[in-house]
mmCIF file of all heavy atoms in Angstrom:
data_model
loop_
_atom_site.group_PDB
_atom_site.id
_atom_site.type_symbol
_atom_site.label_atom_id
_atom_site.label_comp_id
_atom_site.label_asym_id
_atom_site.label_seq_id
_atom_site.Cartn_x
_atom_site.Cartn_y
_atom_site.Cartn_z
ATOM 1 N N PHE A 345 104.353 115.435 102.456
ATOM 2 C CA PHE A 345 104.937 115.578 103.770
ATOM 3 C C PHE A 345 104.104 115.031 104.884
ATOM 4 O O PHE A 345 104.538 114.721 106.010
ATOM 5 C CB PHE A 345 105.225 117.049 104.145
ATOM 6 C CG PHE A 345 106.303 117.663 103.244
ATOM 7 C CD1 PHE A 345 106.300 119.051 103.042
ATOM 8 C CD2 PHE A 345 107.330 116.940 102.731
ATOM 9 C CE1 PHE A 345 107.274 119.661 102.293
ATOM 10 C CE2 PHE A 345 108.293 117.550 101.953
ATOM 11 C CZ PHE A 345 108.300 118.872 101.745
ATOM 12 N N SER A 346 102.746 114.921 104.605
ATOM 13 C CA SER A 346 101.849 114.486 105.680
ATOM 14 C C SER A 346 100.625 113.805 105.183
ATOM 15 O O SER A 346 100.168 114.063 104.036
ATOM 16 C CB SER A 346 101.453 115.779 106.513
ATOM 17 O OG SER A 346 100.628 115.355 107.615
ATOM 18 N N VAL A 347 100.086 112.865 105.974
ATOM 19 C CA VAL A 347 98.828 112.190 105.658
ATOM 20 C C VAL A 347 97.926 112.139 106.898
ATOM 21 O O VAL A 347 98.457 112.125 108.031
ATOM 22 C CB VAL A 347 99.066 110.714 105.140
ATOM 23 C CG1 VAL A 347 99.581 110.746 103.732
ATOM 24 C CG2 VAL A 347 99.967 109.942 106.060
ATOM 25 N N ALA A 348 96.627 112.118 106.729
ATOM 26 C CA ALA A 348 95.713 111.977 107.841
ATOM 27 C C ALA A 348 94.445 111.383 107.336
ATOM 28 O O ALA A 348 93.983 111.623 106.210
ATOM 29 C CB ALA A 348 95.449 113.373 108.403
ATOM 30 N N TRP A 349 93.764 110.557 108.214
ATOM 31 C CA TRP A 349 92.599 109.827 107.825
ATOM 32 C C TRP A 349 91.338 110.454 108.448
ATOM 33 O O TRP A 349 91.381 110.993 109.539
ATOM 34 C CB TRP A 349 92.625 108.370 108.327
ATOM 35 C CG TRP A 349 93.671 107.479 107.721
ATOM 36 C CD1 TRP A 349 94.906 107.300 108.157
ATOM 37 C CD2 TRP A 349 93.463 106.613 106.584
ATOM 38 N NE1 TRP A 349 95.548 106.319 107.349
ATOM 39 C CE2 TRP A 349 94.637 105.897 106.428
ATOM 40 C CE3 TRP A 349 92.357 106.333 105.762
ATOM 41 C CZ2 TRP A 349 94.840 104.980 105.389
ATOM 42 C CZ3 TRP A 349 92.532 105.422 104.742
ATOM 43 C CH2 TRP A 349 93.724 104.740 104.590
ATOM 44 N N THR A 350 90.187 110.262 107.766
ATOM 45 C CA THR A 350 88.888 110.442 108.399
ATOM 46 C C THR A 350 87.912 109.421 107.769
ATOM 47 O O THR A 350 88.203 108.885 106.737
ATOM 48 C CB THR A 350 88.376 111.852 108.187
ATOM 49 O OG1 THR A 350 87.212 112.067 108.997
ATOM 50 C CG2 THR A 350 88.037 112.150 106.746
ATOM 51 N N ALA A 351 86.727 109.216 108.408
ATOM 52 C CA ALA A 351 85.749 108.306 107.898
ATOM 53 C C ALA A 351 84.457 109.133 107.726
ATOM 54 O O ALA A 351 83.941 109.690 108.736
ATOM 55 C CB ALA A 351 85.561 107.152 108.812
ATOM 56 N N LEU A 352 83.916 109.168 106.584
ATOM 57 C CA LEU A 352 82.753 109.984 106.261
ATOM 58 C C LEU A 352 81.537 109.134 106.012
ATOM 59 O O LEU A 352 81.680 108.009 105.513
ATOM 60 C CB LEU A 352 82.975 110.910 105.084
ATOM 61 C CG LEU A 352 84.164 111.866 105.176
ATOM 62 C CD1 LEU A 352 84.212 112.726 103.824
ATOM 63 C CD2 LEU A 352 83.978 112.821 106.307
ATOM 64 N N THR A 353 80.375 109.663 106.263
ATOM 65 C CA THR A 353 79.092 108.988 105.916
ATOM 66 C C THR A 353 78.488 109.767 104.784
ATOM 67 O O THR A 353 78.250 111.027 104.810
ATOM 68 C CB THR A 353 78.141 109.036 107.137
ATOM 69 O OG1 THR A 353 78.773 108.326 108.228
ATOM 70 C CG2 THR A 353 76.805 108.339 106.796
ATOM 71 N N VAL A 354 78.220 109.065 103.635
ATOM 72 C CA VAL A 354 77.560 109.687 102.513
ATOM 73 C C VAL A 354 76.309 108.945 102.240
ATOM 74 O O VAL A 354 76.078 107.819 102.629
ATOM 75 C CB VAL A 354 78.526 109.650 101.320
ATOM 76 C CG1 VAL A 354 79.737 110.428 101.540
ATOM 77 C CG2 VAL A 354 78.847 108.207 100.913
ATOM 78 N N VAL A 355 75.445 109.615 101.502
ATOM 79 C CA VAL A 355 74.126 109.076 101.081
ATOM 80 C C VAL A 355 74.072 108.933 99.588
ATOM 81 O O VAL A 355 74.314 109.897 98.881
ATOM 82 C CB VAL A 355 72.957 109.949 101.586
ATOM 83 C CG1 VAL A 355 71.630 109.315 101.149
ATOM 84 C CG2 VAL A 355 73.058 110.103 103.106
ATOM 85 N N THR A 356 73.801 107.767 99.080
ATOM 86 C CA THR A 356 73.757 107.551 97.628
ATOM 87 C C THR A 356 72.453 108.122 97.115
ATOM 88 O O THR A 356 71.541 108.476 97.816
ATOM 89 C CB THR A 356 73.801 105.981 97.346
ATOM 90 O OG1 THR A 356 72.526 105.440 97.767
ATOM 91 C CG2 THR A 356 74.993 105.407 98.026
ATOM 92 N N GLN A 357 72.342 108.152 95.783
ATOM 93 C CA GLN A 357 71.138 108.673 95.138
ATOM 94 C C GLN A 357 69.961 107.834 95.488
ATOM 95 O O GLN A 357 68.776 108.361 95.391
ATOM 96 C CB GLN A 357 71.361 108.687 93.620
ATOM 97 C CG GLN A 357 72.342 109.838 93.191
ATOM 98 C CD GLN A 357 72.562 109.924 91.691
ATOM 99 O OE1 GLN A 357 72.388 108.908 91.035
ATOM 100 N NE2 GLN A 357 72.831 111.113 91.186
ATOM 101 N N ALA A 358 70.127 106.572 95.875
ATOM 102 C CA ALA A 358 69.024 105.730 96.230
ATOM 103 C C ALA A 358 68.639 105.902 97.696
ATOM 104 O O ALA A 358 67.755 105.171 98.198
ATOM 105 C CB ALA A 358 69.298 104.246 95.925
ATOM 106 N N GLY A 359 69.392 106.799 98.406
ATOM 107 C CA GLY A 359 69.048 107.064 99.779
ATOM 108 C C GLY A 359 69.800 106.149 100.776
ATOM 109 O O GLY A 359 69.451 106.196 101.979
ATOM 110 N N HIS A 360 70.740 105.306 100.287
ATOM 111 C CA HIS A 360 71.475 104.424 101.189
ATOM 112 C C HIS A 360 72.615 105.099 101.866
ATOM 113 O O HIS A 360 73.369 105.809 101.165
ATOM 114 C CB HIS A 360 71.941 103.130 100.414
ATOM 115 C CG HIS A 360 70.847 102.402 99.773
ATOM 116 N ND1 HIS A 360 70.999 101.724 98.589
ATOM 117 C CD2 HIS A 360 69.545 102.216 100.150
ATOM 118 C CE1 HIS A 360 69.865 101.133 98.243
ATOM 119 N NE2 HIS A 360 68.970 101.458 99.170
ATOM 120 N N LYS A 361 72.827 104.867 103.119
ATOM 121 C CA LYS A 361 74.026 105.452 103.812
ATOM 122 C C LYS A 361 75.185 104.531 103.644
ATOM 123 O O LYS A 361 75.130 103.319 103.773
ATOM 124 C CB LYS A 361 73.708 105.651 105.293
ATOM 125 C CG LYS A 361 72.723 106.780 105.551
ATOM 126 C CD LYS A 361 72.604 107.070 107.032
ATOM 127 C CE LYS A 361 71.713 108.271 107.308
ATOM 128 N NZ LYS A 361 71.565 108.540 108.771
ATOM 129 N N LYS A 362 76.339 105.130 103.260
ATOM 130 C CA LYS A 362 77.573 104.377 103.141
ATOM 131 C C LYS A 362 78.646 105.070 103.965
ATOM 132 O O LYS A 362 78.720 106.262 104.095
ATOM 133 C CB LYS A 362 78.028 104.404 101.677
ATOM 134 C CG LYS A 362 77.097 103.717 100.716
ATOM 135 C CD LYS A 362 77.189 102.201 100.777
ATOM 136 C CE LYS A 362 76.367 101.544 99.655
ATOM 137 N NZ LYS A 362 76.491 100.106 99.651
ATOM 138 N N ARG A 363 79.555 104.242 104.517
ATOM 139 C CA ARG A 363 80.655 104.714 105.364
ATOM 140 C C ARG A 363 81.925 104.378 104.641
ATOM 141 O O ARG A 363 82.184 103.287 104.246
ATOM 142 C CB ARG A 363 80.591 104.001 106.723
ATOM 143 C CG ARG A 363 81.606 104.589 107.750
ATOM 144 C CD ARG A 363 81.058 105.792 108.380
ATOM 145 N NE ARG A 363 81.872 106.166 109.574
ATOM 146 C CZ ARG A 363 81.781 107.330 110.155
ATOM 147 N NH1 ARG A 363 80.981 108.230 109.623
ATOM 148 N NH2 ARG A 363 82.536 107.666 111.175
ATOM 149 N N TRP A 364 82.787 105.392 104.375
ATOM 150 C CA TRP A 364 83.972 105.129 103.682
ATOM 151 C C TRP A 364 85.129 106.073 104.167
ATOM 152 O O TRP A 364 84.900 107.107 104.597
ATOM 153 C CB TRP A 364 83.827 105.197 102.182
ATOM 154 C CG TRP A 364 83.175 106.362 101.591
ATOM 155 C CD1 TRP A 364 81.851 106.654 101.512
ATOM 156 C CD2 TRP A 364 83.815 107.486 101.011
ATOM 157 N NE1 TRP A 364 81.568 107.782 100.916
ATOM 158 C CE2 TRP A 364 82.767 108.405 100.592
ATOM 159 C CE3 TRP A 364 85.120 107.894 100.760
ATOM 160 C CZ2 TRP A 364 83.020 109.624 99.944
ATOM 161 C CZ3 TRP A 364 85.366 109.084 100.135
ATOM 162 C CH2 TRP A 364 84.315 109.932 99.716
ATOM 163 N N SER A 365 86.333 105.539 104.051
ATOM 164 C CA SER A 365 87.547 106.250 104.543
ATOM 165 C C SER A 365 88.013 107.199 103.429
ATOM 166 O O SER A 365 88.086 106.903 102.277
ATOM 167 C CB SER A 365 88.627 105.252 104.901
ATOM 168 O OG SER A 365 88.289 104.500 106.037
ATOM 169 N N VAL A 366 88.436 108.380 103.915
ATOM 170 C CA VAL A 366 89.063 109.378 103.060
ATOM 171 C C VAL A 366 90.399 109.676 103.637
ATOM 172 O O VAL A 366 90.594 109.855 104.803
ATOM 173 C CB VAL A 366 88.254 110.642 102.919
ATOM 174 C CG1 VAL A 366 88.970 111.751 102.187
ATOM 175 C CG2 VAL A 366 86.897 110.397 102.329
ATOM 176 N N LEU A 367 91.437 109.714 102.803
ATOM 177 C CA LEU A 367 92.800 109.986 103.200
ATOM 178 C C LEU A 367 93.203 111.322 102.638
ATOM 179 O O LEU A 367 93.180 111.579 101.469
ATOM 180 C CB LEU A 367 93.732 108.894 102.744
ATOM 181 C CG LEU A 367 95.212 109.044 103.082
ATOM 182 C CD1 LEU A 367 95.458 108.931 104.572
ATOM 183 C CD2 LEU A 367 96.063 107.985 102.326
ATOM 184 N N ALA A 368 93.619 112.265 103.549
ATOM 185 C CA ALA A 368 94.111 113.594 103.118
ATOM 186 C C ALA A 368 95.626 113.501 103.035
ATOM 187 O O ALA A 368 96.280 112.963 103.902
ATOM 188 C CB ALA A 368 93.670 114.675 104.070
ATOM 189 N N ALA A 369 96.218 114.048 101.925
ATOM 190 C CA ALA A 369 97.658 114.061 101.765
ATOM 191 C C ALA A 369 98.085 115.400 101.256
ATOM 192 O O ALA A 369 97.383 116.031 100.416
ATOM 193 C CB ALA A 369 98.042 113.010 100.801
ATOM 194 N N ALA A 370 99.197 115.952 101.786
ATOM 195 C CA ALA A 370 99.654 117.298 101.365
ATOM 196 C C ALA A 370 101.109 117.403 101.533
ATOM 197 O O ALA A 370 101.768 116.560 102.169
ATOM 198 C CB ALA A 370 98.941 118.357 102.256
ATOM 199 N N GLY A 371 101.691 118.424 100.897
ATOM 200 C CA GLY A 371 103.131 118.600 100.925
ATOM 201 C C GLY A 371 103.594 119.862 100.278
ATOM 202 O O GLY A 371 103.049 120.993 100.526
ATOM 203 N N LEU A 372 104.590 119.728 99.457
ATOM 204 C CA LEU A 372 105.399 120.814 98.901
ATOM 205 C C LEU A 372 104.532 121.916 98.211
ATOM 206 O O LEU A 372 104.817 123.133 98.279
ATOM 207 C CB LEU A 372 106.478 120.294 98.022
ATOM 208 C CG LEU A 372 107.466 121.274 97.443
ATOM 209 C CD1 LEU A 372 108.333 121.866 98.570
ATOM 210 C CD2 LEU A 372 108.383 120.622 96.402
ATOM 211 N N ARG A 373 103.532 121.515 97.472
ATOM 212 C CA ARG A 373 102.822 122.443 96.575
ATOM 213 C C ARG A 373 101.655 123.207 97.351
ATOM 214 O O ARG A 373 100.928 123.942 96.673
ATOM 215 C CB ARG A 373 102.243 121.688 95.388
ATOM 216 C CG ARG A 373 103.382 121.093 94.496
ATOM 217 C CD ARG A 373 102.843 120.294 93.355
ATOM 218 N NE ARG A 373 102.155 121.153 92.418
ATOM 219 C CZ ARG A 373 101.568 120.698 91.276
ATOM 220 N NH1 ARG A 373 101.628 119.406 90.968
ATOM 221 N NH2 ARG A 373 100.958 121.521 90.453
ATOM 222 N N GLY A 374 101.462 122.902 98.598
ATOM 223 C CA GLY A 374 100.429 123.626 99.347
ATOM 224 C C GLY A 374 99.060 123.163 99.059
ATOM 225 O O GLY A 374 98.075 123.811 99.488
ATOM 226 N N LEU A 375 98.925 121.988 98.388
ATOM 227 C CA LEU A 375 97.601 121.462 98.066
ATOM 228 C C LEU A 375 97.268 120.293 98.984
ATOM 229 O O LEU A 375 98.114 119.515 99.386
ATOM 230 C CB LEU A 375 97.565 120.926 96.627
ATOM 231 C CG LEU A 375 97.962 121.884 95.511
ATOM 232 C CD1 LEU A 375 98.013 121.172 94.155
ATOM 233 C CD2 LEU A 375 97.016 123.052 95.466
ATOM 234 N N VAL A 376 95.961 120.193 99.372
ATOM 235 C CA VAL A 376 95.472 119.067 100.059
ATOM 236 C C VAL A 376 94.685 118.178 99.081
ATOM 237 O O VAL A 376 93.722 118.664 98.505
ATOM 238 C CB VAL A 376 94.577 119.447 101.235
ATOM 239 C CG1 VAL A 376 94.034 118.169 101.957
ATOM 240 C CG2 VAL A 376 95.309 120.348 102.222
ATOM 241 N N ARG A 377 95.157 116.950 98.926
ATOM 242 C CA ARG A 377 94.429 116.023 98.064
ATOM 243 C C ARG A 377 93.656 115.022 98.894
ATOM 244 O O ARG A 377 94.172 114.416 99.820
ATOM 245 C CB ARG A 377 95.482 115.306 97.156
ATOM 246 C CG ARG A 377 96.331 116.151 96.317
ATOM 247 C CD ARG A 377 97.417 115.441 95.637
ATOM 248 N NE ARG A 377 98.406 116.427 95.077
ATOM 249 C CZ ARG A 377 98.336 116.888 93.858
ATOM 250 N NH1 ARG A 377 97.365 116.516 93.024
ATOM 251 N NH2 ARG A 377 99.259 117.715 93.417
ATOM 252 N N LEU A 378 92.398 114.928 98.554
ATOM 253 C CA LEU A 378 91.446 114.018 99.291
ATOM 254 C C LEU A 378 91.310 112.761 98.460
ATOM 255 O O LEU A 378 90.730 112.766 97.385
ATOM 256 C CB LEU A 378 90.128 114.718 99.493
ATOM 257 C CG LEU A 378 90.243 116.045 100.251
ATOM 258 C CD1 LEU A 378 88.862 116.727 100.312
ATOM 259 C CD2 LEU A 378 90.718 115.834 101.661
ATOM 260 N N LEU A 379 91.887 111.657 99.025
ATOM 261 C CA LEU A 379 91.974 110.416 98.267
ATOM 262 C C LEU A 379 90.895 109.426 98.717
ATOM 263 O O LEU A 379 90.808 109.147 99.943
ATOM 264 C CB LEU A 379 93.398 109.777 98.445
ATOM 265 C CG LEU A 379 94.560 110.744 98.138
ATOM 266 C CD1 LEU A 379 95.770 110.001 98.363
ATOM 267 C CD2 LEU A 379 94.474 111.307 96.728
ATOM 268 N N HIS A 380 90.083 108.940 97.765
ATOM 269 C CA HIS A 380 89.156 107.853 98.108
ATOM 270 C C HIS A 380 89.972 106.594 97.926
ATOM 271 O O HIS A 380 90.272 106.164 96.799
ATOM 272 C CB HIS A 380 87.983 107.870 97.113
ATOM 273 C CG HIS A 380 86.838 106.982 97.581
ATOM 274 N ND1 HIS A 380 87.051 105.613 97.867
ATOM 275 C CD2 HIS A 380 85.552 107.176 97.848
ATOM 276 C CE1 HIS A 380 85.968 105.061 98.175
ATOM 277 N NE2 HIS A 380 85.015 105.979 98.176
#
Side-chain angles (χ1 to χ4, degrees):
F345 293 153
S346 185
V347 286
W349 292 91
T350 190
L352 301 180
T353 301
V354 298
V355 180
T356 68
Q357 290 182 330
H360 302 147
K361 287 186 177 181
K362 298 281 188 178
R363 188 82 168 163
W364 50 279
S365 294
V366 174
L367 180 65
L372 186 64
R373 298 178 64 180
L375 305 175
V376 178
R377 301 171 192 269
L378 303 172
L379 309 180
H380 192 307

